[in-house]
Amino acid sequence: MVPSALRRLPARPLLRRALSALTRVDPAAVLTDADVERFSKDGAIVLRGVFQPWVEHLRAGAELNLANPGPLCDEHAAAQGTSGRFHDDQFLWRRHELFKEFVLHSGAGALAAKAMGSQTAHIFYDQLFVKEPGTPSPTPWHNDTSYWHTRGSQICSIWIALDPVPRERGLSYVKGSHRWGLVHRITNFSGGDHSGKNTYSDVDPAQLPPVPDVDAGVASGAYELLGWDMQPGDLLLFYSAMMHGAPGNPPNSPHRRRGYATRWCGDDVTFDNRPGTMHTGWKRAGFDNGLAAGAPIACELHPNCAATA
Ligand SMILES: O=C(O)CCC(=O)C(=O)O
């Protein structure tokens, strides 16, 4: 049976026209100087309703991807042998016209650039997370910097809620952790050091510090958590160095938990060719940036979207 969201998805030329009619987000209208200051100080903020007009389209795209995942897709609950579904896929914008429109023309890049004080916002990749009700799999505490083959401070994500997400089921952040300068030992969200597609085993984990015990830090008062109730179209803006995690989606949840994230690199970001990052799996799946170690991140795989009309 065709999901109703797909039945609502227009054919390709119509889709283009429908999407280009959506207003491009104007950062000056949705991000105040006070927001930028708080983003710099705390490392994560919420903005309300910014991509509300996109929600139905992004939901339809999510259904397409759930039915036809890409080469880097992980199904974490299945890999862990636990119930429910925790779908995690990357580079949707390279395979689906809808997500390409969003990345290139929604204004998300311009928003990220303004937030980071950067002239440019290069799309690093996009990612879909779906936790169906009855999925106990948590999103483990981590920072994204540890997974990514990037160096620099102007690296952030925009995570858009496609369903209502109460704070207790959403992402939480350790306030100010973007200033820790931490590159930690990493695991695939399925639990091991690789998933077959996303491999991190090309580095000796003993060389890296473990993820700090966030729950103990919160209990002792050393860490303060940030988190928000979200409605569809609200977004989380956070630096890649922010320590974050989320619980599962329990069986009694009235909502799915679909989130669409875009990852953005600013002016100071270069390619860090160190082992143990996502670069290994990406290359294998055909997402090689072709850059020399230390080169600016600008390339065909990571175009600048800060000013795309
Ligand atoms: O949505 C999730 O559970 C994971 C999100 C996440 O870790 C991220 O966007 O960096």
Side-chain angles (χ1 to χ4, degrees):
M1 200 176 96
V2 182
S4 59
L6 288 194
R7 284 202 299 271
R8 285 197 300 273
L9 192 70
R12 192 180 258 214
L14 287 179
L15 172 70
R16 254 218 128 97
R17 207 161 341 125
L19 295 178
S20 55
L22 291 178
T23 322
R24 182 183 149 83
V25 162
D26 174 7
V30 299
L31 190 71
T32 64
D33 290 347
D35 292 329
V36 174
E37 204 174 305
R38 204 154 27 87
F39 178 54
S40 167
K41 186 162 161 282
D42 294 351
I45 59 173
V46 68
L47 297 176
R48 302 294 180 187
V50 174
F51 288 114
Q52 205 280 329
W54 279 87
V55 166
E56 274 304 312
H57 301 286
L58 294 173
R59 282 179 176 167
E63 297 314 305
L64 276 179
N65 203 75
L66 282 158
N68 183 21
L72 289 166
C73 177
D74 277 326
E75 293 287 349
H76 298 302
Q80 289 164 331
T82 52
S83 62
R85 184 172 188 186
F86 183 4
H87 172 91
D88 171 350
D89 203 0
Q90 305 169 36
F91 281 113
L92 289 86
W93 81 277
R94 304 283 289 201
R95 293 182 294 108
H96 299 282
E97 201 64 24
L98 166 80
F99 292 108
K100 186 174 170 188
E101 273 303 304
F102 182 86
V103 164
L104 297 181
H105 301 302
S106 66
L111 181 63
K114 180 177 181 199
M116 297 189 291
S118 172
Q119 294 301 308
T120 61
H122 297 269
I123 179 69
F124 189 48
Y125 70 109
D126 62 344
Q127 193 161 12
L128 176 69
F129 297 99
V130 180
K131 287 189 191 183
E132 302 291 2
T135 304
S137 320
T139 301
W141 290 111
H142 68 286
N143 69 33
D144 295 334
T145 298
S146 301
Y147 291 73
W148 294 351
H149 38 286
T150 49
R151 185 175 292 252
S153 61
Q154 293 170 316
I155 313 171
C156 74
S157 287
I158 292 174
W159 189 104
I160 302 167
L162 304 183
D163 294 293
V165 186
R167 178 176 181 169
E168 65 273 16
R169 287 200 277 283
L171 287 162
S172 295
Y173 300 84
V174 178
K175 187 176 176 179
S177 51
H178 60 314
R179 304 214 182 272
W180 289 355
L182 175 68
V183 175
H184 61 71
R185 197 177 301 164
I186 57 181
T187 57
N188 181 271
F189 286 3
S190 302
D193 62 4
H194 66 91
S195 69
K197 295 166 188 159
N198 295 291
T199 302
Y200 310 106
S201 50
D202 49 348
V203 66
D204 176 4
Q207 289 177 2
L208 294 168
V211 175
D213 187 339
V214 173
D215 299 321
V218 172
S220 72
Y223 301 153
E224 183 184 338
L225 291 185
L226 300 171
W228 298 271
D229 290 326
M230 297 182 77
Q231 290 301 319
D234 292 352
L235 67 86
L236 298 165
L237 178 63
F238 58 100
Y239 276 106
S240 65
M242 282 295 276
M243 182 61 55
H244 59 285
N249 196 10
N252 62 355
S253 167
H255 300 293
R256 309 170 75 188
R257 205 274 248 157
R258 290 168 291 182
Y260 174 61
T262 48
R263 325 300 202 166
W264 301 99
C265 295
D267 303 339
D268 76 351
V269 181
T270 56
F271 171 43
D272 182 359
N273 192 22
R274 67 185 198 279
T277 68
M278 287 161 78
H279 188 50
T280 304
W282 282 12
K283 268 193 303 192
R284 219 170 29 209
F287 300 107
D288 188 355
N289 58 30
L291 294 171
I297 204 69
C299 62
E300 193 271 331
L301 188 63
H302 305 306
N304 176 23
C305 306
T308 323

